[in-house]
């Protein structure tokens, strides 16, 4: 990451009403929850816009290839602000930032980064202040996320203004109502694809029968795409029953308590579906205390360092491992295309690769995937 951004002085482009909107929405502006079908899945988006298939493939080729430096760098560094819910056990957001900054350097893109971190839930006011500060810095690009939709109105204002360029991370399913005016890029990993890999493995392992506990993330996008997908797959089997469901807000302690309560009420529990890393680790602690580790199937989601350690120790049974550096590299490559006057070559969506790994996956295969997944966030001499 390059040096700290200069202090911001003088008049702002952002009018007072807009900065007030940021804080009002962050401080509790009501946003109605959207129906699941208002998110357009990757396959459906490509079916609607067939030209996207080639653009997505071309960006994927760039992501997997060595960096090619920008031919004509801009005279002034581009400003990039990132507002991340990265204060959690999962190292996804940190690794994404590391890979992003590393690829920008390798692409010879002069840049200044300003990153803000908060917890994935409970920090709504902090996130609002961070977003206001990020916008006051007048970035050329803003990297944000969309989960519970408390900032949806702000995103819509940004889309209407056309500045800064908006990258929505950890969401690969555009909103139907934004079809006429999409963000610069949706980037991340397909939650539905990863969850189906987990669901198929867990349900087959359980013999397509048994009781399961659903541990959601926050009430919003990630829970809907991950938990909702698992529940839909499980519902296809009449001998599989969901006996309890909890929203954990991504908090390990809440997941621990929910698991303890469910184990006491349902001693024959066969499976736990956890929507995120911290959730899975909280459930694992409860299973260990109850002497049920290894008896009740438990998944992770994401495959970061903490999950890989739990898999190796036999605490987790399976995870969908997103090869995480892909999305940081994709953001850098998209910005390079934009700076090269090739913004039309940036696809609407980049969805990185996901690998299913289990407690039975060999150490050699894990090591191979680590070299690929963490190739820039843990640089090695052969990294592109």
């Amino acid at each position: 990451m390059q040096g700290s951004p200069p202090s911001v002085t003088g008049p702002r482009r952002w009018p007072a009403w807009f900065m007030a909107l940021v804080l009002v929405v962050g401080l509790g502006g009501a946003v109605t929850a959207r129906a699941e079908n208002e998110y357009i899945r990757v396959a459906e988006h490509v079916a609607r816009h067939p030209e996207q298939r080639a653009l997505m493939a071309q960006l994927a080729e760039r992501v997997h290839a060595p960096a090619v430096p920008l031919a004509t760098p801009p005279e002034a560094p581009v400003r990039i602000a990132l507002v991340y819910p990265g204060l959690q056990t999962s190292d996804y957001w940190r690794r994404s930032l590391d890979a992003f900054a590393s690829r920008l350097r390798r692409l010879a893109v002069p840049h200044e980064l300003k990153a803000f971190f908060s917890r994935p839930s409970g920090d709504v006011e902090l996130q609002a202040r961070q977003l206001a500060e990020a916008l006051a810095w007048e970035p050329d690009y803003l990297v944000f996320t969309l989960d519970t939709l408390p900032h949806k109105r702000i995103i819509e204002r940004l889309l209407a203004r056309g500045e800064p360029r908006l990258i929505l991370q950890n969401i690969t399913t555009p909103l139907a109502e934004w079809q006429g005016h999409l963000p610069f890029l949706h980037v991340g990993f397909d939650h539905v694809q990863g969850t189906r890999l987990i669901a198929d493995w867990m349900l087959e392992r359980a013999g397509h029968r048994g009781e399961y506990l659903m541990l959601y993330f926050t009430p919003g996008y990630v829970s809907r795409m991950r938990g909702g997908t698992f529940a839909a797959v499980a519902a296809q089997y009449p001998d599989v029953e969901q006996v309890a469901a909890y929203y954990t807000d991504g908090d390990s302690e809440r997941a621990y308590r929910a698991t303890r309560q469910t184990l006491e009420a349902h001693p024959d529990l066969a499976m736990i579906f956890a929507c995120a890393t911290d959730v899975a680790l909280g459930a694992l602690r409860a299973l260990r205390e109850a002497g049920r580790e290894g008896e009740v199937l438990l998944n992770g989601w994401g495959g970061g360092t903490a999950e890989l350690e739990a898999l190796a120790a036999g605490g987790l049974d399976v995870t969908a491992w997103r090869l995480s550096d892909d999305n940081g590299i994709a953001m850098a490559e998209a910005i390079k295309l934009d700076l090269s006057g090739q913004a039309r070559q940036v696809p609407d969506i980049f969805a990185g690769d996901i690998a299913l790994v289990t407690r039975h996956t060999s150490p050699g295969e894990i090591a191979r995937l680590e070299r690929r997944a963490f190739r820039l966030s843990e640089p090695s001499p052969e990294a592109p």
Side-chain angles (χ1 to χ4, degrees):
M1 187 180 303
Q2 299 194 359
S4 301
S7 59
V8 182
T9 58
R12 306 284 180 238
R13 292 183 303 202
W14 301 97
W17 66 263
F18 186 86
M19 305 310 291
L21 175 62
V22 172
L23 292 173
V24 167
V25 172
L27 290 170
V31 179
T32 303
R34 302 293 169 183
E36 182 176 352
N37 62 9
E38 292 190 0
Y39 292 103
I40 300 176
R41 306 297 198 276
V42 176
E44 181 185 353
H45 186 76
V46 172
R48 293 186 182 191
H49 307 280
E51 77 284 354
Q52 289 295 314
R53 187 180 303 278
L55 295 178
M56 292 167 69
Q58 289 164 12
L59 182 55
E61 288 178 6
R62 291 175 180 272
V63 168
H64 297 145
V68 177
L70 182 62
T72 308
E75 294 183 3
V78 295
R79 289 186 170 192
I80 307 166
L82 308 96
V83 181
Y84 276 172
L87 298 182
Q88 50 184 296
T89 302
S90 170
D91 55 7
Y92 166 75
W93 297 100
R94 179 188 63 79
R95 286 189 181 279
S96 178
L97 178 58
D98 289 349
F100 180 47
S102 179
R103 188 68 164 198
L104 285 171
R105 291 193 295 269
R106 291 163 190 251
L107 292 172
V109 174
H111 62 279
E112 297 172 349
L113 296 181
K114 191 162 189 165
F116 301 84
F117 290 91
S118 62
R119 295 174 297 171
S121 64
D123 277 352
V124 177
E125 294 183 17
L126 173 60
Q127 290 167 359
R129 292 194 298 271
Q130 290 174 339
L131 186 57
E133 184 177 347
L135 292 174
W137 185 53
E138 301 184 8
D140 301 291
Y141 301 88
L142 172 68
V143 186
F144 196 41
T145 192
L146 182 65
D147 183 20
T148 58
L149 305 181
H151 300 131
K152 179 174 176 291
R153 285 193 291 158
I154 298 170
I155 291 172
E156 289 172 343
R157 293 287 186 179
L158 293 172
L159 293 177
R161 289 179 64 93
E163 59 177 1
R165 295 278 207 189
L166 179 63
I167 297 174
L168 287 184
Q169 187 172 347
N170 204 32
I171 172 171
T172 59
T173 51
L175 277 171
E177 61 194 280
W178 292 352
Q179 279 296 287
H181 203 170
L182 292 176
F184 176 61
L185 178 66
H186 296 80
V187 63
F189 300 85
D190 190 336
H191 303 284
V192 173
Q193 175 198 6
T195 299
R196 283 177 175 160
L197 292 173
I198 293 171
D200 289 344
W201 188 91
M202 289 182 74
L203 292 167
E204 181 177 355
R205 188 84 174 178
H208 300 103
R209 65 179 63 248
E211 300 175 341
Y212 77 93
L213 163 65
M214 172 64 69
L215 293 176
Y216 288 111
F217 192 57
T218 57
Y221 176 77
V222 170
S223 291
R224 190 174 302 148
M225 295 297 158
R226 296 181 185 176
T229 297
F230 185 90
V233 175
Q236 298 173 19
Y237 302 98
D239 293 329
V240 175
E241 179 187 5
Q242 183 185 116
V243 295
Y246 294 85
Y247 281 108
T248 65
D249 289 336
D251 183 80
S252 182
E253 184 64 26
R254 291 186 184 183
Y256 163 78
R257 293 197 301 268
T259 304
R260 284 290 301 266
Q261 293 172 14
T262 306
L263 289 171
E264 292 172 2
H266 300 277
D268 294 328
L269 192 72
M271 294 173 282
I272 301 172
F273 181 81
C275 280
T277 298
D278 291 67
V279 178
L281 297 180
L284 176 57
R285 181 159 64 95
L287 289 175
R288 283 175 173 164
E289 289 186 4
R292 301 292 305 278
E293 181 182 359
E295 296 179 10
V296 179
L297 291 172
L298 174 63
N299 70 289
W301 217 111
T305 302
E307 287 192 9
L308 296 176
E309 291 174 352
L311 274 171
L316 294 182
D317 294 283
V318 62
T319 193
W321 186 354
R322 51 193 171 194
L323 305 186
S324 60
D325 285 8
D326 278 8
N327 67 181
I329 295 170
M331 293 191 299
E333 290 287 346
I335 289 174
K336 179 197 169 188
L337 284 169
D338 192 29
L339 295 175
S340 302
Q342 302 178 69
R344 291 184 178 274
Q345 298 301 308
V346 178
D348 297 333
I349 302 169
F350 174 83
D353 293 334
I354 297 175
L356 185 79
V357 293
T358 75
R359 62 162 64 187
H360 306 296
T361 302
S362 71
E365 178 64 7
I366 293 291
R368 184 189 71 81
L369 288 169
E370 280 184 317
R371 287 193 295 271
R372 181 179 169 195
F374 306 148
R375 60 194 182 278
L376 293 188
S377 56
E378 288 185 356
S380 59
E382 68 275 15

